[in-house]
Amino acid sequence: FDEDELIALLKNRIAQREQLRAQFSRAVYLEPNKLALTSTDELFLNQALAVMESNMENSEFRVDAFLKEIGMSRTQLHRKLKALTGQSTTEFMRSIRLKRAAQLLKENHGNVSEVSDAVGFSRVSTFIREFRKIYQITPLQYRKSHFQSS
């Protein structure tokens, strides 16, 4: 084998992973069909997003159910998500729910309690706390800031 070719191949693979990670972290809209299907990693992320979308309102949908639907072991899924998104399985699931919540708030779909329910949080206080961790403002402030800028 050619050492230079192998190094170039590895650098390319690392760059692709970084691009995919950046693309995922910027994605606010969660429709899987809007992502380009060019690699197995993107296919995997599309599948993971589709599973989350179909279970978005289910507050009982946790990691064990996600594992069963995605068809991977806990370790495999954790490694794959960590490599692609930089997040653990729990963090990935929470970020998908919170991104959907931000989208719903921006589009004025119900009050904060209704949005919390729509994205699978069983307690509004938990939803507000987790939302604030990501967006540095409360859901109500987020909604108001997007109405003023629109």
Side-chain angles (χ1 to χ4, degrees), residues 20 32 60 65 68 71 89 94 103 128 141 148:
L20 193 57
E60 299 299 313
K68 194 176 279 187
T89 306
R94 186 180 311 119
Q103 179 185 354
I128 293 169
Q141 292 167 330
Q148 292 170 354

Side-chain angles (χ1 to χ4, degrees), residues 1-146:
F1 68 93
D2 184 10
E3 185 177 324
D4 291 335
E5 201 172 312
L6 180 61
I7 290 172
L9 183 68
L10 289 173
K11 283 182 181 179
N12 186 29
R13 185 70 175 154
I14 291 168
Q16 285 176 335
R17 286 275 172 125
E18 289 301 318
Q19 273 185 319
L20 193 57
R21 184 178 289 163
Q23 178 183 356
F24 173 78
S25 66
R26 285 190 311 265
V28 173
Y29 295 98
L30 305 173
E31 291 100 40
N33 58 357
K34 288 192 176 182
L35 295 175
L37 301 176
T38 58
S39 75
T40 56
D41 292 336
E42 287 176 314
L43 288 171
F44 167 76
L45 276 179
N46 280 337
Q47 180 187 8
L49 289 171
V51 168
M52 282 303 301
E53 269 305 308
S54 65
N55 292 286
M56 187 64 68
E57 292 183 17
N58 182 358
S59 64
E60 299 299 313
F61 188 72
R62 306 240 193 285
V63 173
D64 289 334
F66 189 63
L67 294 169
K68 194 176 279 187
E69 287 219 25
I70 213 89
M72 296 176 91
S73 74
R74 184 178 297 270
T75 305
Q76 285 177 314
L77 183 60
H78 177 79
R79 284 183 184 152
K80 187 91 167 167
L81 286 174
K82 199 70 166 170
L84 295 175
T85 67
Q87 299 174 325
S88 70
T89 306
T90 303
E91 291 167 337
F92 173 80
M93 293 174 72
R94 186 180 311 119
S95 74
I96 296 299
R97 290 181 190 276
L98 291 171
K99 285 178 183 182
R100 172 62 80 203
Q103 179 185 354
L104 293 174
L105 289 166
K106 196 183 285 188
E107 296 172 357
N108 198 26
H109 286 283
N111 61 34
V112 172
S113 178
E114 292 167 337
V115 169
S116 172
D117 288 341
V119 297
F121 280 87
S122 55
R123 299 183 64 203
V124 176
S125 59
T126 303
F127 169 68
I128 293 169
R129 183 183 67 240
E130 295 300 324
F131 192 92
R132 183 179 280 189
K133 281 182 191 175
I134 301 298
Y135 295 99
Q136 284 75 47
I137 56 176
T138 66
L140 193 55
Q141 292 167 330
Y142 184 87
R143 171 182 275 157
K144 285 179 182 177
S145 71
H146 281 84

